[in-house]
Amino acid sequence: MNYNMKRRVAALLAVPALLFTAACGSDGGGSGESAGGVAQVKGKVGAKPEISVPKDAEPSKKTVVETVSEGSGSAIKASDFVRLDWTVEKWEGAQELGGTWATASGEKTPRRQSVEQIGKASQQMPGKVLDALKGKKPGSRILVQGTAGDLLGKSLNPSSGISANDVLIWVVDPVGAASVDAKAEVKGEQAAPEAGMPEVSAPSQKAATITIPKGAKAPKELKEQVLIKGDGKKVEAGQALIAQYTGVKWEDGKKFDSSWDHGGATAFQIGTGSVVAGWDKGLVGKNVGDRVLLVIPPSLGYGANPSSELAKNTLVFVVDILGTA
């Protein structure tokens, strides 16, 4: 659901990638005892890490997982949604391959970060790197060092210039985490649509049915309505927002996407330009537990991307806000 995420190091993975991501004693999370050097990491959590490798040392022949700095709170569990920062470098030549730290932010816009679900396939990070976060706490800094062949496996792109024997150093900072059931949905009495707004029927455990007003012209500005009012915390820009959603085109009423068609609850960073502007404008400031109806004109949807098949469409979404991280 990350509509506008920019590609960073797509060449490294054989699958499309949107973004890419050292220290003392081992956590025991590696694939055996290290038989060589391990990268060192300096810098505070919350700032870009400084990575260095021991001079004239050969890297460990085994994958190494280390906690550089330990955070607080509840440990990250399998299937948790996690918001995180990361960087990845190549051992030889200290070549940085990408990460979230390079993303710029304006004075009022939080920096873009990655949002992932532990145990789910990622277009940004290898599964073994994400799995290394299980049992760690938000606010920690984690080192994962291993060969590209071990960490990326079959997803390593042979045209990337990275060989299976090249050693990669990942430093990952999980910022926040939340557990939300894939089948979760907002409950409560739903308000009738306001004048000119689509009608919504939201059957349990299924994509919503959204009916466009007959003969009505699509609005030229963002329209929004809270159909069910929640009592959770307000959604803040920069957070990971966990949601169920259904989207249809105003022009023909046809569904083009729904979280229910992709395994249920999903998450993305809100308020950073990582999704269409209509989501950023319409969902920041809403509450966990809200069901929100959005009508998004092309200028706040895909209008700036003429190659998108939805560039000229007004988009209508129903979004259940289930949690934040």
Side-chain angles (χ1 to χ4, degrees):
M1 186 48 197
N2 288 2
Y3 290 109
N4 288 340
M5 274 286 198
K6 296 180 180 178
R7 294 177 179 232
R8 298 295 175 193
V9 286
L12 190 56
L13 289 172
V15 297
L18 302 178
L19 291 172
F20 241 144
T21 37
C24 33
S26 174
D27 295 332
S31 57
E33 294 183 1
S34 62
V38 179
Q40 303 293 310
V41 177
K42 294 182 180 180
K44 295 181 179 180
V45 175
K48 184 177 180 179
E50 299 175 13
I51 303 172
S52 62
V53 299
K55 188 176 181 180
D56 299 326
E58 290 293 321
S60 170
K61 297 178 180 179
K62 300 290 186 179
T63 293
V64 178
V65 177
E66 296 180 354
T67 299
V68 179
S69 178
E70 186 172 11
S72 60
S74 300
I76 297 169
K77 302 183 293 296
S79 80
D80 274 6
F81 293 94
V82 183
R83 176 167 54 94
L84 48 84
D85 279 304
W86 55 267
T87 188
V88 58
E89 292 188 4
K90 185 178 175 181
W91 175 283
E92 187 175 352
Q95 177 186 354
E96 184 176 3
L97 301 175
T100 59
W101 295 106
T103 57
S105 62
E107 293 183 1
K108 297 182 179 180
T109 304
R111 182 171 46 78
R112 286 188 185 182
Q113 297 167 312
S114 293
V115 176
E116 302 289 350
Q117 186 174 13
I118 305 298
K120 290 290 184 72
S122 169
Q123 290 183 318
Q124 303 177 55
M125 299 175 68
K128 284 193 174 183
V129 175
L130 283 176
D131 285 345
L133 301 183
K134 287 188 291 187
K136 306 299 189 295
K137 298 176 181 179
S140 297
R141 171 160 283 175
I142 311 301
L143 162 74
V144 183
Q145 177 184 307
T147 65
D150 185 37
L151 295 180
L152 291 126
K154 294 181 180 179
S155 66
L156 175 62
N157 188 342
S159 64
S160 66
I162 302 295
S163 74
N165 292 324
D166 285 331
V167 172
L168 302 179
I169 305 161
W170 295 74
V171 179
V172 186
D173 294 4
V175 178
S179 299
V180 173
D181 189 278
K183 296 183 179 181
E185 57 191 346
V186 165
K187 302 289 187 179
E189 184 176 352
Q190 183 171 289
E194 296 172 354
M197 293 289 277
E199 184 176 338
V200 176
S201 173
S204 180
Q205 304 297 300
K206 294 182 179 179
T209 298
I210 303 172
T211 304
I212 307 302
K214 190 174 181 179
K217 292 183 178 181
K220 296 183 179 180
E221 298 179 352
L222 176 68
K223 299 293 184 182
E224 57 183 270
Q225 181 184 355
V226 176
L227 298 176
I228 296 177
K229 182 64 177 175
D231 58 5
K233 293 182 178 180
K234 285 189 178 297
V235 176
E236 298 179 6
Q239 289 183 320
L241 188 148
I242 307 165
Q244 303 281 11
Y245 69 90
T246 298
V248 307
K249 294 176 285 185
W250 179 285
E251 289 73 15
D252 59 14
K254 291 183 178 180
K255 181 183 69 173
F256 62 85
D257 197 12
S258 177
S259 60
W260 292 106
D261 298 335
H262 308 295
T266 189
F268 49 89
Q269 193 181 25
I270 195 72
T272 61
S274 299
V275 290
V276 292
W279 280 56
D280 283 345
K281 291 179 179 293
L283 297 179
V284 171
K286 298 299 189 292
N287 294 80
V288 173
D290 284 355
R291 172 171 291 163
V292 185
L293 174 62
L294 298 173
V295 181
I296 303 174
S299 61
L300 297 177
Y302 292 104
N305 182 9
S307 64
S308 171
E309 61 182 15
L310 298 172
K312 296 182 179 180
N313 291 114
T314 295
L315 311 177
V316 184
F317 284 99
V318 175
V319 183
D320 281 12
I321 302 176
L322 307 174
T324 58

